[in-house]
Amino acid sequence: MDRSIASPTLLADLGGTNVRFALADAASADPLLLDSVRRYRVKDFDTLADTIRQYFADTGHIATQAIIAAAGRIANGETVQITNNPWAVSAHGLQAELGFERVRLVNDFAAQGMSIPLLHRDQLQAVGNVLPPEHDHKSTQTFVVMGPGTGLGVAGLLYRHGHWIVLETEGGHSGFAAHTAEDVEILHRLNARFGRVSNERMICGNGLVNLYLALADIAGQPAQEYTPEDITARATDSSDALCVRTVETLAGIFGSVAGDLVLSLGGWDGVYLTGGVLKILMPWLQHGGFRERFEAKGRFRDTMERVPTIAITHPEPGLLGAAALAVLESGRSLRQHSD
């Protein structure tokens, strides 16, 4: 890292399993300092403050301000109870404990959405045959940002007259809508286990296990005690037909939910896909039922066929988006990449 940077901003991308840190140089065209990125397991620390202290100790870096992208609803811009994670974070509490001048909390998928203006063309991959959109030829565009990790994140991204506006949501917790006979059978089984069934019960790492158990029961097969990693590994090498079916089913349901979000948010200009599980799912998204179920929206099929779905392949979109927010907070404008 260039230690001549006058006032770097600490960035954190805090999920249910891991927290990633980095520093941002708000004056740079590429504000995320990739060589400053470090990852820590949430279960190894009692609090976020303890983890930040460890990051500073490990790297020798310091910062006087921070932007924390957290998986959960940010209450009044001040506090967040992390979803699928025991930590609760207070912006003012963290500021006081670590002596920061300022701490800002944002939803993790709001941060991932803000990475989009800074992405290079080779950090985007079309899912399906519709090419990624351009951002410089319209005064008004609306996008969906979503994807599976420990949970299911959802945000809206608006481009209005040269300005980016992010809409923070908890859309991953919306109720699951069954579209096929098999969906109905899955819903019955998950309803018996969980009561209300949200989309996140299926579209995330642990969702693979939920789907596997439901499909095993539907097929009358004994279920193995598989982890999400077991299921994707056996699907990838085709050694277990039920695991293959599980990942195919998740891809289809993912497509249905993505399409529903386009209808709900008016995201006609595209859906950006991200999240920690996305890379593993990509072969099934490209060749499975994802686009078919995404487009299968009745009277809106013709419209949905023209809506692009784009995978973000940047290794740290949450940190990149937090860096974009650091640029905006410094009073500078984002310099979009056009390559």
Side-chain angles (χ1 to χ4, degrees):
M1 192 193 101
D2 181 356
R3 295 178 184 275
S4 66
I5 298 168
S7 181
T9 299
L10 175 69
L11 312 173
D13 183 8
L14 174 55
T17 306
N18 300 301
V19 57
R20 294 171 174 81
F21 295 109
L23 296 181
D25 176 8
S28 172
D30 292 301
L32 174 61
L33 305 176
L34 279 171
D35 61 352
S36 69
V37 175
R38 299 289 187 280
R39 186 187 75 166
Y40 299 87
R41 300 278 289 182
V42 166
K43 68 179 183 180
D44 294 336
F45 298 87
D46 292 331
T47 66
L48 177 60
D50 290 341
T51 322
I52 292 172
R53 291 189 186 97
Q54 188 66 55
Y55 172 75
F56 285 155
D58 289 345
T59 63
H61 300 326
I62 57 172
T64 59
Q65 52 195 347
I67 296 178
I68 312 296
R73 178 179 175 271
I74 312 300
N76 301 315
E78 163 59 21
T79 60
V80 58
Q81 173 63 57
I82 311 302
T83 307
N84 303 312
N85 173 324
W87 291 354
V89 179
S90 159
H92 282 94
L94 198 62
Q95 182 175 320
E97 185 172 356
L98 295 178
F100 286 123
E101 293 174 4
R102 187 168 189 273
V103 173
R104 178 179 175 185
L105 292 178
V106 298
N107 176 266
D108 61 333
F109 265 74
Q112 298 219 27
M114 285 305 300
S115 74
I116 288 165
L118 297 181
L119 291 170
H120 295 266
R121 178 65 64 171
D122 63 1
Q123 293 165 338
L124 299 170
Q125 180 179 353
V127 178
N129 297 322
V130 187
L131 294 177
E134 300 291 340
H135 296 145
D136 58 355
H137 70 296
K138 286 186 180 180
S139 61
T140 298
Q141 290 180 303
T142 303
F143 303 95
V144 173
V145 183
M146 66 174 302
T150 305
L152 174 63
V154 176
L157 184 67
L158 315 179
Y159 189 53
R160 298 292 187 268
H161 308 289
H163 298 282
W164 293 94
I165 305 162
V166 70
L167 177 64
E168 301 187 19
T169 88
E170 288 297 330
H173 296 278
S174 296
F176 171 58
H179 292 282
T180 68
E182 183 179 70
D183 284 358
V184 172
E185 293 300 319
I186 292 169
L187 178 58
H188 284 163
R189 285 157 177 80
L190 296 188
N191 180 257
R193 287 181 62 195
F194 300 113
R196 179 182 183 271
V197 180
S198 69
N199 291 321
E200 184 173 272
R201 292 296 187 187
M202 284 156 285
I203 309 173
C204 68
N206 286 332
L208 279 164
V209 177
N210 294 336
L211 281 173
Y212 171 79
L213 294 174
L215 290 170
D217 190 59
I218 292 168
Q221 295 181 214
Q224 305 300 316
E225 293 186 4
Y226 286 157
T227 66
E229 293 77 13
D230 294 332
I231 293 168
T232 54
R234 284 165 172 78
T236 299
D237 65 17
S238 299
S239 61
D240 187 316
L242 187 58
C243 290
V244 172
R245 180 62 189 144
T246 297
V247 184
E248 289 175 342
T249 300
L250 189 150
I253 291 172
F254 190 2
S256 284
V257 173
D260 286 345
L261 285 166
V262 170
L263 299 176
S264 298
L265 294 176
W268 311 116
D269 295 292
V271 179
Y272 285 96
L273 306 172
T274 182
V277 182
L278 184 67
K279 183 177 180 180
I280 297 169
L281 295 178
M282 278 299 291
W284 285 273
L285 300 186
Q286 292 286 20
H287 306 298
F290 177 85
R291 274 299 304 196
E292 169 55 31
R293 290 191 56 166
F294 176 82
E295 296 168 4
K297 299 301 176 187
R299 288 168 286 180
F300 277 85
R301 176 181 280 275
D302 288 348
T303 300
M304 297 298 293
E305 288 174 350
R306 296 190 294 273
V307 177
T309 45
I310 313 106
I312 296 174
T313 60
H314 188 283
E316 299 291 350
L319 292 174
L320 182 64
L325 291 169
V327 172
L328 295 176
E329 289 206 344
S330 74
R332 297 174 173 87
S333 298
L334 296 176
R335 286 176 258 180
Q336 293 183 203
H337 295 300
S338 58
D339 57 334

